[in-house]
Amino acid sequence: MTRVYSLLPEGHHGLLAPLGGSEDIHGYLAVGGYAPLVAPDRLLDRIAATGLRGRGGAGFPAAVKLRAVRDAPPGPRVVVANGEEGEPGSVKDRWLLRHRPHAVLDGLRLAAAMTGAERGFVYLSDDLAEQAVREALAESAPEVRIDVVRTRHTYVAGEESAVVRALDGGPALPTAKPPRPFESGVGGAPTLVANVETLARVAVMYSRPDEANSVAGTHLVTLSGAGAAGAALAEVPAGTHLKVLADLSGHGTAAAVLLGGMFGGLYGEGWTDLPLDHDRLKEAGGALGCGALHFLHPEDCPVGVAAEAAAYLAAQSARQCGVCVSGTGALATTLTAAARGEAGYDSVDKLRRWSQQLPGRGACGLLDAAARIVGSLLVHFPDRIDAHRRSGCPACEGAAAEDGRRFTVPVP
């Protein structure tokens, strides 16, 4: 079971169940939703002033993407609410679509107003999310045309160029960049692809401008780990220390953490002092990504965890880039051998070289994630692979599952 928590100060309006459960149009209107559209440029300036970053994984400034679409040459524009949550350890986007669909749709119509778009899409793969969004659309009748598009759930289907490709009728697979979607997206039109949490925060910032800074500085995070403690979805202020989040979710005895879903890498000693902050985590060699944190307890082996993550990513490869197919395959195979105590004496050197050479060479971030996991394993647990070769590791029996089940979190 996944529990839901809010660490926001009393009186602050967050995204987690402010209405006591799933919202309908009456409840959403009662808290200021769908406010009349007045001076959308002023809202864009407010978003820029707060420094709101996208919540899809890269943490790119939201105002920059909005302005890039708005300032494109004359012609049609498109906005997309991206709810395809590829990380198995994240549930925030599906939760929002299931329980707060009006907040997402409100943010999407505001994004359309700010960019001048006349067409919008909600892109998702979850049954219950699709049902909730369609019901909310029937209730709300937004000013802009919005269509719901269903895709197949995969790790790469939510990458922004894969979103555009799917909406154009193709497979949900990444394409080479440039052009980026804001330059040429759906149907060749400049396209904003925005994560659903980003859009929901835009909606709250519009209805409650006095709370704009706190709304922009708050994150939905998915917390998980092995054992009876289970998982949690929490809304927390930026800067909250990871130890606080571990204690909140029942993983206070954790010895390490896998950051950002699978994008931020492993972090060992000193992880308890890390704050939930894009820049600080980057300085520490990690990444916040989509805000999913998987805690490793003392009995969990980081080599086995890394092997399972690499195997999952290798299995999820779009198989379009030769370097990704061969690179993720080599990382997963070598880590699996290491977890089973079968690694060769040159395995560490190979893994270190690959982790340094592979990033940036694929069409999407999947290869980068696999390389970061391996590189961070070698930095934070430098002796563990050799220890496996000398004495084996009971915790790693069966390591390298490709289905991501270790990291999968049920949606609350």
Side-chain angles (χ1 to χ4, degrees), residues 158-208:
E159 194 272 341
E160 62 176 6
S161 67
V163 174
V164 169
R165 194 173 180 183
L167 292 177
D168 276 337
L173 299 174
T175 60
K177 277 81 68 179
R180 296 279 182 178
F182 68 82
E183 299 167 313
S184 178
V186 178
T191 300
L192 174 77
V193 180
N195 172 262
V196 294
E197 182 190 348
T198 311
L199 293 171
R201 293 203 175 280
V202 168
V204 178
M205 291 168 68
Y206 187 67
S207 62
R208 299 187 178 276

Side-chain angles (χ1 to χ4, degrees), residues 68-149:
V69 175
R70 182 197 65 179
D71 296 341
R77 289 159 172 73
V78 176
V79 289
V80 181
N82 184 6
E84 170 42 25
E85 199 165 28
E87 289 282 0
S90 179
V91 298
K92 67 183 183 67
D93 296 337
R94 283 166 290 168
W95 189 94
L96 282 171
L97 289 168
R98 291 182 186 188
H99 298 279
R100 305 277 341 257
H102 284 293
V104 175
L105 293 174
D106 196 2
L108 189 61
R109 63 125 193 174
L110 292 168
M114 286 183 281
T115 60
E118 297 179 352
R119 183 84 185 274
F121 294 91
V122 180
Y123 177 81
L124 44 71
S125 65
D126 180 69
D127 286 336
L128 295 178
E130 180 180 9
Q131 178 182 339
V133 171
R134 291 191 182 279
E135 290 175 356
L137 274 173
E139 289 182 321
S140 59
E143 297 93 335
V144 61
R145 174 185 170 185
I146 296 176
D147 295 311
V148 180
V149 175

Side-chain angles (χ1 to χ4, degrees), residues 12-21 23 28 31 95 99-100 204 235:
H12 283 241
H13 294 81
L15 296 176
L16 288 185
L19 311 176
E23 66 188 359
Y28 189 62
V31 295
W95 189 94
H99 298 279
R100 305 277 341 257
V204 178
E235 188 163 22

Side-chain angles (χ1 to χ4, degrees), residues 46 49-51 205 208-218:
R46 185 184 307 154
T50 63
M205 291 168 68
R208 299 187 178 276
D210 55 320
E211 296 183 25
N213 285 314
S214 64
V215 172
T218 301

Side-chain angles (χ1 to χ4, degrees), residues 267-291:
Y267 209 98
E269 185 177 355
W271 72 267
T272 55
D273 296 324
L274 294 175
L276 193 77
D277 179 87
H278 280 283
D279 294 331
R280 294 286 298 279
L281 289 177
K282 184 177 180 180
E283 291 170 4
L288 179 57
C290 64

